[in-house]
Structure formats: C-alpha cells, structure tokens
Amino acid sequence: MLPFFWQCSDFIDVEPENSVTFTNYFNDENDAEALLTELQIQARNVFSRTWNSNIGIPTHPYFYGWAIPNMLGKYSCTYSWSLFAGLVYQSNLILDNAHRFKVKKEVLEPYLLQAHFMKGMAYFYMAMIWGEAPIFPNSTTFKKVPKSTMSQLLDEAEKNALEAMKLPVFQQINSGISYKRMKQYGCKGSAAALLAYLYAWRAGVENEKQYWEKAESYCTMIIEGQVGSYSLAYDPEEVCTQVMKGDSQESIWEIYGDAAEEEEYAWDQYGVGFPVINTGDYYPGSFATPCLAREDVKKMYPVGDLRRNSYYWAVDSNFIYMNRINDQVIPSLEPGDDVVITYDLDKIANGDSWLGINSFGESFLYKFRYPYYVFNEWIQQPLYKGLVQNKIIYRLADIYLLRAECRAHQNKHNAVEDLNIIRARAYGNLKDGVVINQAKAQEYSYPSAYDKKQGLERNILLAIFREREKELLNEGHRYYDIVRFGMCFINGQDSYDYIREEISPAYKRLTDQDIKDGALFSQIEIDCFKNNDLIRQNKFWNRKIQ
C-alpha cells in the first residue's frame, strides 16, 4: 500500500526558516518519501485515463459512432497535456532539489531514479498522444515554451528511461523499507519495457529502422529475467482472474486502482457491462454497449483458443438464465431452481435496439471481473462505482509479441517462436514457459490453418498484429499498435494498411498528407493555449477546426 496515498495535506506543511520558503522542506528521507507519494498520485491521475486508446478498440461497424470516440470530427479527440505537465513538474521537483536533502547519496538515489522513470513515461506518452508537445524545463521556470518535435520528446523520454535502468529489479525494490512498494513504482523491468516500446516507436513511426534491434534487446532482457523475475500466467482464465487483478508475476508495470478505496476517482475499464456489472441497467438488451457481435468474437477467437470463453462470456451459448439464489439474482448459462428471467440471445440479436438499428447480437466482455458497488437505502439496486483491480500497462505477454514484431522487421526466423509462445498459452498448451504437447502445437503454430484462412501466412507482421489484438484486448494497446504498424506501411516497411483498414470509415479517407500533418495525433485542447501564444495546433486539426 502506498503510505498516506490519498492524503496530500503533508505536502503543504512547509517548515519555515526566517520566512516562508519551500526550499527548507527538502530535509530528510521522510520529505523525499512524501514527494515520491505525490509523484505516484500524479502518475495515477495520468495513466488511469484512456487518452487515445479507445479509438482503436475492435468494433462492429454498427458501433463506429458509439464505441469509437474519434471520428475525426471538429470536436473529437481533444486532450489537454496539463496532467502530464503536473507529472513532469513533480518529477522535476525531486530532481531539481536533490542537492538540498541532508541524506547520503545512496539513500536519495532511489527517489531520483523514480522521478526519472515517471518523467520518461510522461514524455513518451506525450509523444504518442500529441506528436508534438512542450518540454518543461524545470520546477522553477514558468515561462512560455513552444512545442518540441516528437524526436525531441522521445530524446527526453529516452534520457530519463536510461537513468531509470539504474533502479533495482522489482523483487529487490522493497528492501530496507517497512512498507511494500506496489508495481506502480518504477523498477528495472518497467524501465526496460518503456525503452522497448520507445525504440519500437522510433523504428516504426520515425522510420529509424536501426532501433528495431535495440527494442528487441530490451524485450530480451525482460523475457530472459535479466531485469527482474516475470512469468506468464498458466492460461487465459488466470490472465483474467489474477493478471488483470494486479500484482501478478506476469505484470511488469501497472497503475493502482481500487474503487472500494476511492469511489469518486475509481478506474473503470471501457466496455465492461453485463454480467460483470449485474444490475438492471446492464442486463442483456438494455444498457449494454458491446463493441463486437458474438459472431465477430467467434471469428476473432477460433475454437480451441481459450481466450474466446475467458475474455468473453456466453459466446457459444444461446440462453442466459437469471437465477435467484437466496436474496441475489445471479446470471448463469445453466437454469437453476428459481429462474427469474431467461434471455434468448438469438431473439435479442434480431430485435430492434434503442440505437435505432437492428441489434447484431451482443457480446459480453468478461476480461475485467472485479466490480465495486455502493448500497444506498433509497435506491433499490446497488450502484456500480468502478473496478477493484489495477490497470495493467505492460505485461510479459505483450513484451513477447513486441519482440516478435521487432524480430520480424529484421527478417529473423525466431519471430515465429515468440508468436507461438503466446498462442500456446492461449490454447492451454504452456506450463512454466514450455510447450506441453508438441502434437497439439500444430493446431495453432504459425502458419496454422486459421492463418491460411485469414491470409496471414503471407504477412507475419499482420499475424503478430492480430495476436496482439486478441491477447491485449481492451488493455489500451491497439490504437498505438495501429499507429506504429501503420506508419511502417506508409514508410514501406509493411504491406498492410492498418490505419485505413483497422479503425473506422473516417480513417479510410485519410491521405498520406493528412497523416503526415498529424491526423493520428490528438487535437490540442484550448486550455493549452491559455497564456501561451507560442503553441500552435498541428496542421491537420487546424484545418478541421477552421
């Protein structure tokens, strides 16, 4: 647990010298710990949000307008970087005042390295979200600064991430302190994951192909246990019940979230509905907002892929039974002794939906399973407030697939090995990182019969993209994957047009010049222009809002 995680009053109790001064606050390790706690609060505020990640969720065509927030309209995809500015400021506050602390260098260094890690994460995400954004000089200079280029933002992120590589591995990070650090704190493994993704971004989006090898090397450090001990969960069900819950052996870096502790700011995963949220508003055919039809899910996850019935619920069932057990109504795929209502999913699929279109057959996302409810005397049914689980940013499975991508770009045959490891887990054929049944492996190993049916045997990069899409469903990766893979198409490194084929009709109309002018990056919110006449909207969005 973070020490006094939600209490910020300590940060304004500044001990004065002869007059009120902030500089006297930086004394001992307790002061450093307080600043680090505030840094973690800032990080939670930043990375618990979706930013652009909802744009790229797999979606049935009927739900383009509903499920995808960015239709490239005048008022869409608009964000302020103020929260990132706060995170960078808090990082700089620690780094700029290191010389003031009256503690030994070795005692203070872990706090400085945590600040470097968060600063690196902030600038990397700013590069991915806006393409161009300001670099904030320090914690005492508040002058106007113009936008920096994406390359400059990535340089700043890289510099800080390389410093953060001096952090200990996560298994050692709690030594010498009386309370437990959670995986939201930086460690050597999370710094390596940041660098792996940063170098892959440079290789794909900036077309600096030499970085594929560097990205691969950082993936290898993680996979081979050089930067900490990480291991894949046993099967997809364990991914849902343990990895997505938080603090698992597969997780590398995650953001703390617990609606039971803080209802008002609880993390809520987009797309979670029935049966995870089991109230009347979310029952089938009512307020559920599926992104995929059941038939889409079946196409995405073939028979034998265990993610089909772990990541989704009732995919292969025709009926859902609401059984009364004691004082609760529990959804089930089997009828109980006291069935309150039965849902015929085929009839729901053929009925008129409240959206004014023919419903296409609901799917029920089941990957995130830990809801939190509040019970009030004046409301008959409980109120859903969010999830009691962490937000996983990096985990070992996505690192395997990132390494496969890096290797494929270098024409290395062992890219297939990484791809097949994740497929082996998906098909229940992996234990302790080793394939259990070699004969069964033929069912899914690339290029499988499914790959050939989907035309994937001609493009291993597309096969890797599809595997990331399936494995990392709704974890915030897909849009950034589309940008990274898509820019490889624009730059001649791939043969499939991800940008125009994998999002929505609005993106199909983008020209290469639109993309060059910043169509894939967020529009800058008006707050960012206040008191700073040096900021300019990127060319694409400037045309849109005129």
Side-chain angles (χ1 to χ4, degrees), residues 331-375:
S332 175
L333 302 181
E334 299 292 336
D337 295 332
D338 185 2
V339 178
V340 176
I341 187 172
T342 300
Y343 292 101
D344 185 333
L345 295 180
D346 288 331
K347 288 184 178 179
I348 292 176
N350 295 325
D352 291 331
S353 80
W354 62 277
L355 288 173
I357 59 175
N358 288 329
S359 179
F360 53 85
E362 291 185 47
S363 63
F364 305 104
L365 183 66
Y366 200 46
K367 193 175 188 180
F368 310 91
R369 302 187 186 177
Y370 299 94
Y372 177 71
Y373 299 96
V374 173
F375 295 87

Side-chain angles (χ1 to χ4, degrees), residues 382-451:
L383 296 176
Y384 169 72
K385 288 293 186 178
L387 296 168
V388 186
Q389 59 185 90
N390 296 347
K391 181 179 181 181
I392 311 303
I393 308 295
Y394 299 134
R395 60 185 175 99
L396 187 57
D398 70 76
I399 296 298
Y400 266 105
L401 293 172
L402 181 63
R403 189 171 72 169
E405 177 187 345
C406 297
R407 287 175 165 178
H409 274 291
Q410 299 172 79
N411 297 314
K412 293 183 176 180
H413 297 296
N414 53 3
V416 174
E417 296 174 8
D418 289 334
L419 173 61
N420 286 340
I421 281 287
I422 302 306
R423 288 187 175 184
R425 199 261 295 276
Y427 280 74
N429 196 26
L430 194 72
K431 184 176 182 181
D432 299 328
V434 178
V435 172
I436 301 169
N437 186 333
Q438 291 295 338
K440 184 179 180 180
Q442 297 178 10
E443 179 184 352
Y444 56 77
S445 294
Y446 181 85
S448 65
Y450 173 81
D451 292 320

Side-chain angles (χ1 to χ4, degrees), residues 159-309:
K159 177 179 68 176
N160 282 278
L162 288 171
E163 280 295 312
M165 282 295 294
K166 298 174 185 176
L167 281 162
V169 300
F170 182 74
Q171 289 73 23
Q172 297 174 357
I173 207 166
N174 289 308
S175 61
I177 57 177
S178 58
Y179 37 80
K180 183 183 178 183
R181 301 283 196 213
M182 60 182 66
K183 284 193 171 180
Q184 181 173 306
Y185 286 86
C187 65
K188 193 178 291 291
S190 55
L194 167 57
L195 284 164
Y197 271 101
L198 188 154
Y199 288 133
W201 190 266
R202 303 205 89 148
V205 179
E206 290 192 300
N207 199 26
E208 299 286 347
K209 300 177 185 178
Q210 70 274 16
Y211 283 111
W212 288 122
E213 185 176 5
K214 295 193 75 169
E216 179 193 354
S217 69
Y218 279 96
C219 291
T220 298
M221 290 181 196
I222 298 169
I223 292 168
E224 294 185 354
Q226 300 171 29
V227 291
S229 177
Y230 304 101
S231 59
L232 292 172
Y234 178 69
D235 58 20
E237 188 67 14
E238 193 171 295
V239 170
C240 298
T241 58
Q242 295 187 29
V243 180
M244 293 296 104
K245 186 74 168 68
D247 196 30
S248 75
Q249 280 295 103
E250 184 166 327
S251 172
I252 299 169
W253 191 58
E254 58 193 43
I255 297 299
Y256 178 78
D258 189 343
E261 276 192 12
E262 192 180 30
E263 298 171 20
E264 186 177 355
Y265 301 105
W267 174 61
D268 189 13
Q269 170 61 47
Y270 184 85
V272 173
F274 179 87
V276 176
I277 308 174
N278 184 19
T279 67
D281 288 340
Y282 289 86
Y283 285 170
S286 55
F287 195 71
T289 55
C291 300
L292 288 174
R294 285 193 297 152
E295 291 306 313
D296 293 332
V297 176
K298 291 177 183 178
K299 292 176 184 177
M300 188 174 181
Y301 299 100
V303 174
D305 190 329
L306 301 180
R307 293 172 297 198
R308 173 166 162 160
N309 293 112

